[in-house]
Amino acid sequence: MRIGCPTEIKNHEYRVGLTPASVHELARRGHQVLVQSGAGQGIGLPDEQYAAAGATLLPDAASVFAEAEMIVKVKEPQPEECARLRPGQILYTYLHLAPDPALTAALVASGAICIAYETITAPGGGLPLLAPMSEVAGRMAIQAGAAHLEKSKGGMGVLLGGVPGVAPAQVCIIGAGVVGSHALQMAVGLGARVTVLDKNVDRLRQLDLVWGNRIVTQYSSAQALEEAVLAADLVIGGVLVPGAAAPKLVTRAMVARMKRGAVLVDVAIDQGGCFETSRPTTHAEPTFLVDGVVHYCVANMPGAVARTSTFALNNATIGHALALADKGWRRALAEDPHLKAGLNVAAGQLTYKAVADALGYRYVTADQVLGDSASGS
């Protein structure tokens, strides 16, 4: 198979879909890997390393999209990239379609086979291709929150861990999944007072066994959530409904009652955000104020530590990339129900129920698409 890896073009996005090591894995299986010149330059992966790994370097994105049978990316395709997709071409990347009707419409119109990292499942449960970026984002959320609590960046001027004789900051983490647990690790390590909320009591019990009285765990009732948010100096939103839009857990009315100079970090912004006042921001302009509360809503947070993120992501994605290249998408999906869960759009049809429901499309199962493909219709 001819596999293409273009340079990412989203604002301040330096990650790359394939590392030289991933290229080598594909090339040694007999696949041709087409990499846009300079794709890895921003994270210290020069063209020479890609060439040595077996890649064919192409001068621009148009050439990569035109020649490749499968496109491997990191972030959702931008409008000019959607326009380059063609019927039957495989797109393997993060998509986050539920909050993005324009992107969904463009992918439906393209006729491409669109497989989303964030909905591929694992035999033991969980979302293994989303997990590494959630780990990075959870840790980064505390770094970003601590930085923006500084007065010069709009915050109230609080040091997260305090100093002897001065209380540390109060951190509220909404969601005890991968994002929340990694944010918790960083926040506790920096000396903050941390409250974690979730509706999964078993998960809260697990965190309590690890952290004991160093943290407070609370069942996420409406009252407990409101009390924790209003008491917090820093709130981390890390909730996830796989493939679907994030629930709006913190209302505008709650934001209006928060401390002036408090910071909200909405890690769920890729799925629409879990704060009612959230809107996507960029690394170039990461924050905005609502009622004196700093909102950090960068939609590609792990892109700020692009080298770490690229290697972590490739560790998770290369296995399925090899399956798709070795077997073709129909056979690869038919033989692996977990990879099949990643199919969001296929030949103009919505094949992920949460996205179809959120955006009002007719839902067609992946099995129906595979059946149609097998019959030649």
Side-chain angles (χ1 to χ4, degrees):
M1 183 180 284
R2 294 188 305 280
I3 300 148
C5 178
T7 301
E8 297 292 325
I9 59 174
K10 190 163 185 169
N11 178 274
H12 282 265
E13 182 55 77
Y14 304 104
R15 289 175 290 180
V16 61
L18 294 172
T19 61
S22 294
V23 168
H24 180 70
E25 289 298 311
L26 289 160
R28 67 193 289 267
R29 304 274 271 265
H31 305 295
Q32 183 182 10
V33 186
L34 313 169
V35 176
Q36 184 178 348
S37 181
Q41 196 70 45
I43 56 170
L45 299 176
D47 288 350
E48 291 78 12
Q49 287 189 23
Y50 281 99
T56 299
L57 293 163
L58 296 179
D60 51 42
S63 303
V64 173
F65 277 84
E67 295 190 31
E69 297 168 88
M70 176 166 69
I71 297 294
V72 180
K73 281 176 41 61
V74 177
K75 287 305 290 177
E76 68 279 355
Q78 302 303 292
E80 64 192 81
E81 294 175 312
C82 291
R84 292 189 171 115
L85 292 169
R86 62 180 183 272
Q89 190 174 39
I90 302 167
L91 174 65
Y92 180 52
T93 188
Y94 285 117
L95 292 177
H96 300 292
L97 296 180
D100 198 337
L103 174 59
T104 304
L107 295 182
V108 168
S110 75
I113 308 302
C114 306
I115 299 170
Y117 293 162
E118 73 273 9
T119 63
I120 293 173
T121 56
L127 303 168
L129 276 65
L130 186 62
M133 295 303 93
S134 296
E135 291 168 353
V136 171
R139 294 178 180 223
M140 280 195 66
I142 297 300
Q143 288 187 189
H148 286 88
L149 277 171
E150 296 174 14
K151 195 66 178 175
S152 62
K153 295 186 178 177
M156 64 175 66
V158 170
L159 181 64
L160 200 67
V163 293
V166 180
Q170 296 274 2
V171 176
C172 169
I173 299 174
I174 305 172
V178 177
V179 167
S181 60
H182 282 263
L184 165 62
Q185 182 178 344
M186 292 289 285
V188 171
L190 288 170
R193 292 178 178 173
V194 184
T195 298
V196 185
L197 298 106
D198 202 288
K199 288 187 177 294
N200 185 334
V201 178
D202 285 337
R203 181 62 186 144
L204 295 177
R205 192 172 288 122
Q206 291 168 2
L207 292 179
D208 183 73
L209 287 172
V210 174
W211 298 103
N213 61 7
R214 297 176 71 188
I215 66 171
V216 174
T217 59
Q218 284 192 281
Y219 180 80
S220 188
S221 66
Q223 181 177 343
L225 177 66
E226 182 172 348
E227 290 175 353
V229 166
L230 296 183
D233 304 303
L234 170 61
V235 181
I236 308 297
V239 297
L240 174 70
V241 179
K248 305 294 185 187
L249 298 179
V250 177
T251 66
R252 186 179 189 94
M254 289 165 64
V255 171
R257 296 169 58 205
M258 288 179 66
K259 300 176 185 177
R260 303 304 82 159
V263 177
L264 298 175
V265 179
D266 198 341
V267 186
I269 194 65
D270 277 321
Q271 294 294 135
C274 60
F275 307 138
E276 194 173 28
T277 46
S278 291
R279 57 177 170 78
T281 60
T282 67
H283 289 291
E285 296 182 33
T287 64
F288 59 91
L289 286 173
V290 176
D291 294 324
V293 176
V294 179
H295 289 57
Y296 183 99
C297 305
V298 176
N300 57 330
M301 285 179 62
V305 287
R307 186 176 174 92
T308 296
S309 297
T310 291
F311 284 99
L313 180 61
N314 270 248
N315 291 342
T317 58
I318 185 60
H320 290 304
L322 288 167
L324 290 165
D326 289 347
K327 302 174 182 179
W329 72 271
R330 295 178 182 86
R331 183 181 155 206
L333 268 59
E335 293 182 358
D336 185 348
H338 302 290
L339 178 55
K340 183 167 64 178
L343 188 67
N344 277 220
V345 179
Q349 301 182 92
L350 254 293
T351 56
Y352 198 82
K353 191 174 189 306
V355 174
D357 290 348
L359 299 179
Y361 282 82
R362 173 176 172 265
Y363 168 58
V364 177
T365 68
D367 286 332
Q368 286 176 284
V369 171
L370 292 171
D372 289 345
S373 300
S375 66
S377 59

